[in-house]
Amino acid sequence: MAVSGPILNAGRDSLSNRADWAYDMLYDVAYKASSLTPRHMSIVNDPIQSQLAAFGTRLRELRLQRGWTLQDLADHSGLSKPFLSRLESSDRQASIAAVLTLSRVFGVSLASMFETELAMEPCIIVRAAEGVAQAANGLHYTPLSNTHRFFNLQPMRVTISPTRPGTEHYKHDGEEWIYLLSGRLTLSLAGKTYDLEPGDAAHFDSRLPHRLIARGTRKAEVLLVASPSSEPTNVYGRSSRQFRAIPLIDPGTSSNN
């Protein structure tokens, strides 16, 4: 039976009202955020800043749920990869047109683009029993944070076996910092080697070819913090080939060694 008259009109009015509400909410967020001073933007509990942070986190969640890279999303949306990267890190405010485009790409409502509980958490706690050990390219590692929330730093605990196979050196955008907990370790970096003992640390540009090598007969265990920066910040420029030992801790791409 066809629906007409008051019932059909009521349905249209309901959809129209919801669309108007979502548009008004988005406009309100964008307008208010554009007038905030740096001092106001730094207040963690500011509701507008929280909504903006939620958008970046939600955008990343939706992308990773589909197994897409930033380039994949750029191809689907027509938005540039650098712009999308800045949206995810909350460095840029999305225009209404950009949010409408992204909501259509993912097939979700405008309101849902701002809905994520994780974005509201000021601190991520990873209990000792919660770490999930993983393996890649002869390394065993346990992520020590949730990169869906804070993804500019990727901390992990890594174990390197003295019998790790291969001699490959890896290079990718970003920086890495390592702290040797136990065992003996050699960092091979850009044609040079650096021997580390427990308590020693190293900080290096991961765009240079590098590899972690356990010396002796014992495994080496390190704390590793990777910062997968999206843009070059020093003289070495952007790495032309991303070659990582450990896949990016989010399901996209990650550190490594």
Side-chain angles (χ1 to χ4, degrees):
M1 181 180 70
V3 178
S4 60
I7 296 177
L8 179 59
N9 291 334
R12 287 173 175 169
D13 290 343
S14 176
L15 288 173
S16 176
N17 289 338
R18 275 185 281 178
D20 290 343
W21 172 85
Y23 184 91
D24 290 343
M25 180 198 71
L26 183 59
Y27 181 85
D28 186 56
V29 170
Y31 177 79
K32 290 180 179 178
S34 67
S35 64
L36 291 176
T37 66
R39 180 177 68 84
H40 288 119
M41 291 291 286
S42 67
I43 300 175
V44 176
N45 63 355
D46 189 301
I48 301 302
Q49 182 67 2
S50 295
Q51 285 178 295
L52 293 174
F55 176 78
T57 302
R58 177 62 170 159
L59 177 59
R60 185 177 178 83
E61 289 174 354
L62 290 168
R63 175 174 66 81
L64 295 178
Q65 285 171 8
R66 285 158 178 76
W68 290 354
T69 64
L70 280 170
Q71 186 59 56
D72 292 333
L73 180 54
D75 293 340
H76 281 85
S77 66
L79 302 172
S80 74
K81 179 180 174 182
F83 177 70
L84 291 169
S85 177
R86 289 182 173 86
L87 288 183
E88 287 192 356
S89 61
S90 300
D91 287 340
R92 289 287 300 272
Q93 297 169 16
S95 66
I96 294 174
V99 179
L100 283 169
T101 297
L102 291 167
S103 69
R104 288 168 183 159
V105 167
F106 291 119
V108 299
S109 68
L110 286 175
S112 71
M113 295 294 294
F114 295 87
E115 294 172 355
T116 173
E117 294 181 3
L118 192 56
M120 304 304 177
E121 292 294 333
C123 179
I124 300 299
I125 302 296
V126 178
R127 303 296 180 187
E130 295 174 350
V132 178
Q134 303 176 51
N137 294 301
L139 298 174
H140 291 81
Y141 63 99
T142 302
L144 300 176
S145 183
N146 185 322
T147 56
H148 290 282
R149 175 62 180 95
F150 300 107
F151 52 88
N152 290 323
L153 294 179
Q154 297 183 341
M156 65 190 82
R157 191 169 185 141
V158 181
T159 300
I160 307 99
S161 170
T163 59
R164 180 188 182 190
T167 60
E168 297 89 351
H169 283 59
Y170 301 88
K171 62 179 182 178
H172 45 86
D173 292 331
E175 305 172 41
E176 290 187 22
W177 175 90
I178 58 174
Y179 177 85
L180 184 56
L181 296 169
S182 63
R184 303 168 67 202
L185 184 76
T186 293
L187 168 64
S188 177
L189 178 70
K192 296 183 179 180
T193 58
Y194 304 88
D195 292 340
L196 304 179
E197 301 292 336
D200 291 344
H203 188 174
F204 57 93
D205 189 314
S206 54
R207 285 168 290 185
L208 299 175
H210 57 280
R211 182 178 179 86
L212 300 182
I213 304 166
R215 301 197 322 274
T217 59
R218 293 180 53 199
K219 295 178 180 179
E221 190 170 30
V222 304
L223 287 179
L224 184 151
V225 179
S227 176
S229 60
S230 59
E231 297 183 4
T233 56
N234 63 32
V235 297
Y236 296 113
R238 188 174 179 84
S239 175
S240 59
R241 184 181 177 215
Q242 305 293 304
F243 188 34
R244 303 174 184 272
I246 299 176
L248 264 183
I249 297 180
D250 71 59
T253 33
S254 175
S255 104
N256 328 325
N257 309 294

